Amino acid sequence: MAIRAVMFDFSGTLFRLEQDETWLSDLTDGDGEPLDLEAQTELMRRMTAPSGTVVELDEEYQHAWDNRDLDPELHRKIYLEVLRKSGLSRPEQAEALYRRLVDPGEWTPYPDTAAALKGVAAGGAKVGVLSNIAFDIRPAFGAHGLDQHVDEFVLSYEEGAIKPDPVIFEILLDRLGVAPGEALMIGDSEEADGGARELGCAFALVDPAPTDVRVDGLLTVLRGHGVL
């Protein structure tokens, strides 16, 4: 069956929160020592990990982690705790870094994001963005003129469901007006995004590598599935 719609994940798929030295250069650990490059890189990984647990948590914070993409307050609570447990003992530093995380203007599109969205739309297929997220990512697309190529945004905190729950995939499929067998889901998480396969969607995994490393991953996937 021909692909009539492509559903894209956001973080690690279309956009990435890149490590920025200006954000991290003044960060210090509990002893007041600057974080080394390895610690900075791990900090960014923990802030953007799509699934799994990144630090050991008690029952209260585990609940917040599991439900962080359903509630902005839980999202803030758990990420401030993750940053604290990752070595940022000064609350003002954690708060400043968290504000970067939830600012859509700080996210960088992959080099082929524009070409991928435009190509799918130009070919007559519908485009949907489906994200486990607790803040509005639409401004990130608007800032780069990409929102005009997206037919529907489905965000977990607005819908009350998170991937891999079939419900959230069904919401987007319904809004795009396509059957599961006519849709391709592209994402960086086998666990979360791969849940689309349970409904009968095709699925393609991309590597959430830095944007200067993964330059044509989206176009490669789309060509491989005959969308472009």
Side-chain angles (χ1 to χ4, degrees):
M1 188 176 294
I3 299 297
R4 296 183 52 231
V6 180
M7 304 184 293
F8 293 93
D9 173 49
F10 173 67
S11 174
T13 301
L14 291 175
F15 283 71
R16 190 174 191 271
L17 186 66
E18 299 279 26
Q19 183 169 328
D20 187 321
E21 293 179 1
T22 65
W23 305 352
L24 306 172
S25 58
D26 295 330
L27 298 184
T28 56
D29 60 20
D31 297 323
E33 295 296 322
L35 297 182
D36 59 26
L37 182 59
E38 182 178 351
Q40 293 177 11
T41 301
E42 176 60 15
L43 202 60
M44 296 299 289
R45 185 194 71 81
R46 293 181 180 185
M47 290 175 69
T48 57
S51 60
T53 302
V54 294
V55 296
E56 186 175 343
L57 301 167
D58 62 22
E59 185 176 348
E60 175 188 356
Y61 282 103
Q62 186 62 52
H63 174 268
W65 177 261
D66 293 340
N67 294 277
R68 66 193 185 281
D69 290 323
L70 296 174
D71 184 334
E73 287 302 316
L74 288 180
H75 191 272
R76 178 180 179 277
K77 173 181 177 178
I78 188 54
Y79 275 105
L80 291 179
E81 176 67 4
V82 166
L83 291 171
R84 185 186 71 80
K85 285 207 163 189
S86 299
L88 292 189
S89 58
R90 292 169 55 190
E92 68 272 18
Q93 291 187 341
E95 289 277 4
L97 194 53
Y98 178 75
R99 286 195 294 271
R100 301 283 193 181
L101 171 64
V102 298
D103 180 354
E106 299 289 1
W107 290 73
T108 303
Y110 277 91
D112 60 344
T113 290
L117 296 178
K118 292 176 183 177
V120 173
K126 296 288 187 178
V127 175
V129 173
L130 176 56
S131 180
N132 286 352
I133 202 92
F135 59 94
D136 189 3
I137 59 176
R138 296 175 184 88
F141 290 80
H144 296 276
L146 301 175
D147 52 334
Q148 61 185 307
H149 305 297
V150 179
D151 295 290
E152 294 287 345
F153 287 90
V154 170
L155 311 181
S156 59
Y157 82 103
E158 295 178 339
E159 307 298 340
I162 55 176
K163 297 174 289 185
D165 187 339
V167 169
I168 196 163
F169 294 105
E170 290 171 342
I171 289 172
L172 182 52
L173 290 167
D174 287 345
R175 292 180 186 172
L176 294 175
V178 299
E182 300 173 315
L184 168 65
M185 176 73 208
I186 302 176
D188 70 319
S189 171
E190 182 80 34
E191 177 184 346
D193 303 308
R197 287 182 295 208
E198 291 190 21
L199 294 175
C201 300
F203 170 66
L205 186 69
V206 292
D207 184 353
T211 57
D212 62 349
V213 173
R214 202 199 82 199
V215 297
D216 62 354
L218 296 171
L219 294 178
T220 298
V221 164
L222 291 169
R223 289 167 183 149
H225 283 80
V227 180
L228 297 182

